[in-house]
Amino acid sequence: MVSKLLPSLTRATAAALAALAGILPAWPFTLVRDGEPRAVIVVSKEAYAAQPWRPVPGPAPAASAKVRLAAEELQRYVARMSGATLPIVPDGAPGAAGTSRILVGAGNAVAALGVDVPRGLTMERREEGYLIDARSDVLVLAGNDEGPYQGTFFAVADFLERAGVRWFMPGAFGEIVPRSPTICIGSLHVLEKPAFILRAWDGNLAPELRDDEAMWRLRNRLTLDADAILALPTDASLRNYLPTPDQAVLHPEWFARRADGSTDPYLPNLASPEAAAIVAEKVKARVRAERATHPDFNSLGISPDDGLPVDLRAQSAAASLGFASLLGRESVPQERSISEEWFTFVNRVAEDVTREFPGFILTTNGYANRSVPPEGVTLHPGLGIMFAAIWADLLHAYDDPRSWQQEVHATLLRRWAALNSRVFEYRYDHPMLVNALTPLPATRRIVRDTRLALRWGVAGFHDEQSFSWMANGILAYYMRARMYWDPDADADKIADDFYAHWYGPAAPHARAFWDALEDAIEGTRLLGHEDRVLPYVYTPRLLERLEAAQRAAEAAATAEPFATRVRVDRLVLEHLKGYYAMSWAELGGDFAAAARAADSMFAQREGLHAVSAFFHVPETKEAPQRYYSDSFYWNLSDRRESDRRLAAQLDGTTGELVAMAPRNAAFTVDPLDIGRYEQWYLPASDRSRWREVDTAIPFYLQDPAWMSKAGAPYVGYAWYAFEIELARPLRAGPLKVLVPTVSCEAWAWVNGRFAAHRPYQAAYVRPASFEFDAGTELHAGRNVIAIRVDTSSSRVQAAEGILGPLLVWSPR
């Protein structure tokens, strides 16, 4: 990235410098003076005749249409800034002679100047870039527009930014356009190429927002046509190239075997050369078909189904090292890592495909039970790897010593990048996979991670993305776009520029607000990729800091547009307060209060939606719509419904609360699993050496022995013993015991007699209740309910054990 420039100037700045006549040279290029155009926009004849194009993510049109869009973008924003409309004329037209020319796109006029505009399109997709060159009577804004590239538009967007335009978020609300009747520019030479070839994200975006979001991506130099750079190996894409399911009956040897011995028609026998040959032939047929109309078709992705696909045939298992996947449990064959057998299979496919199509790239994913690089398997040079650490902590940077998960994450990413030159990461930036859209800005993590990824040789990013900007925060999206283009950019200056432009006089207070959130996120020892950890990240002290900063910002921002922008932060804060109240009401057993807090959160979301739909698209019961708000499951509607149902079970509507156990319970870990043999569940069992824990807080946060400094919690067996007094005489009717949340597996005894078993359930899944009939075991007076918990052998689960009060209730 090379940049030599004297910035563009508005009239006021130019006038100030005019007083220094004789010290600085005259401005060699003027676009507009006193509201009158002083230049024309020149495009190629093809671009001049091109049909209008509005970008959306996906395949791009011909280069001429891209250049036309770029020219119109320049014309539109110069007019908005100055009131003057610069004419767009074709190359060679009479109107282009005798006046200053803005050459948009690498047409004949640019070629005649002899300037070096990035060009070319190879299979590796490393030719993207653009040029800005200002001389006495000509300004060049041109770039590589071949294939998926948008170089000329990027050149225009860069130029407009230098003139003071900002696109902080999509749509009219998110842009800043300065006003000045005069726009001129000094000598300027900028040659830019991106650090990462792939700078993309995908998500479930409401249709009415797609145009504005695509334009925002272009203006911030992100990738629109990601698959034309490196194809995304989407879940279940392998199905398109497998033998047909009916062939599973005729040729079961081509397919994987399930744990019950049946044939899996959607996963091949990973040890079968015949199955690999069939997949390769179907891939080649697809390449032939694509290249008939798109000769530059360079890559195709294949991936098995989501989850933990595994082939339990002996031939495939022979290649396995027998390790559990990071998401799996030891000694559970269905949850083992399959990296060795999977990449052996994919190598065979790639070898066959590249014999016919040299240089073609077959992408696949290092994800789920394939996220660890294979041992003893050299990756075929025709592969590209999408690494996706779905299990990883989303609160800390790769190099943060507080996160053992990020240490593993970083180690694996470095290893993949050392094995393959086309590794790109599929990052999760929702901000969490399961979340209530509470604020989780991550600008510091973004800066640190992108710089490290560049150093390690990562090719880029294709993120799974939320479009609820209320959660990530405006600067987090904007910073990510900036860092994906140039990780060496000055992040502090980017942040300074954002706060000054967006908040005006309230800038220092708004910055204190968002910095307080980042301090809490960076400083926590908690790890996670679901919001179940967040009630302990957000603290009363943090809420006090946020309230103080917000009040100061509101006092400073008395005029528009700053008042509305500060009001957005107020809505975000009130929503966070509602989340905090809801979470702690649930943890304390006041489910009616929790439902009321959810109501208040919905009210804040409506206020944010009224300002901009990009902050939030409301949830509905329609299946697609809930995805637009990044609420895949266990969203706010789900939680409110659950809280209302639990409240009804206790308030006399559908049931009645009989008793609630004290919040504190006796607790001990059981790493040797001897408790069940020694009958620790008996009421008279000696618990003098057990600890007392607060069941509203994960057990591992309550003793340093249960959690390492790097955030690794105890895994294994643990016991809780609840003592509960029931009234005399005991209420007639059936009695049930309910624990709102248990992870990951549980067994219960009531007064020494076995009562129930709750099967294994991954820790992130909600709801995770444990409810059982107490039978006749409960009696008036003192009762002991003992629960043995298995937190799973998978440390990434970070299972909390029991959360929330133990309740005894009677159905009506």
Side-chain angles (χ1 to χ4, degrees), residues 86-127:
L86 304 183
I88 298 176
V89 301
D91 193 7
T99 185
S100 295
R101 296 175 301 154
I102 306 172
L103 307 183
V104 176
N108 291 335
V110 171
L113 295 176
V115 293
D116 186 18
V117 179
R119 57 175 54 84
L121 182 65
T122 65
M123 301 286 276
E124 297 296 334
R125 302 297 197 252
R126 298 184 183 274
E127 307 79 32

Side-chain angles (χ1 to χ4, degrees), residues 513-720:
F513 179 96
W514 290 99
D515 279 351
L517 285 161
E518 294 229 29
D519 290 343
I521 295 162
E522 273 195 323
T524 185
R525 293 173 58 213
L526 283 150
L527 316 180
H529 56 284
E530 301 93 26
D531 74 351
R532 57 198 172 95
V533 302
L534 294 184
Y536 317 103
V537 175
Y538 301 127
T539 64
R541 173 60 184 144
L542 172 63
L543 295 177
E544 290 174 5
R545 286 183 63 188
L546 295 175
E547 180 62 34
Q550 180 61 26
R551 287 185 179 179
E554 288 165 345
T558 56
E560 294 294 349
F562 307 115
T564 296
R565 295 169 184 166
V566 167
R567 184 165 61 84
V568 166
D569 290 354
R570 167 57 70 185
L571 293 168
V572 168
L573 176 56
E574 295 305 315
H575 183 271
L576 174 58
K577 291 177 181 178
Y579 173 81
Y580 191 80
M582 176 183 69
S583 298
W584 283 97
E586 290 170 344
L587 291 166
D590 191 347
F591 301 107
R596 291 192 297 271
D599 290 339
S600 75
M601 295 170 69
F602 277 118
Q604 311 312 320
R605 293 181 181 191
E606 289 173 5
L608 286 160
H609 177 76
V611 176
S612 169
F614 280 96
F615 286 122
H616 180 66
V617 174
E619 296 173 15
T620 73
K621 291 184 178 180
E622 300 170 15
Q625 186 77 2
R626 66 194 299 160
Y627 284 82
Y628 299 153
S629 62
D630 189 42
S631 301
F632 307 122
Y633 66 98
W634 201 237
N635 56 24
L636 189 58
S637 295
D638 296 333
R639 288 181 70 164
R640 181 173 64 177
E641 182 180 345
S642 174
D643 288 333
R644 286 174 174 172
R645 184 177 63 254
L646 289 170
Q649 289 178 197
L650 307 178
D651 67 8
T653 304
T654 61
E656 192 169 356
L657 177 66
V658 175
M660 179 185 297
R663 181 164 147 173
N664 289 353
F667 173 86
T668 188
V669 295
D670 186 11
L672 301 179
D673 191 23
I674 61 175
R676 58 193 174 109
Y677 309 123
E678 296 184 352
Q679 297 180 294
W680 290 357
Y681 50 79
L682 294 175
S685 180
D686 181 9
R687 299 186 182 88
S688 60
R689 296 186 179 181
W690 290 29
R691 290 282 308 278
E692 187 177 90
V693 296
D694 184 344
T695 57
I697 301 172
F699 74 89
Y700 55 73
L701 292 180
Q702 302 183 55
D703 191 314
W706 301 330
M707 183 173 172
S708 75
K709 291 182 179 180
Y714 167 84
V715 295
Y717 298 104
W719 290 77
Y720 293 79

Side-chain angles (χ1 to χ4, degrees), residues 449-460:
D449 284 357
T450 49
R451 289 173 178 170
L452 288 168
L454 180 65
R455 185 190 312 166
W456 298 335
V458 173

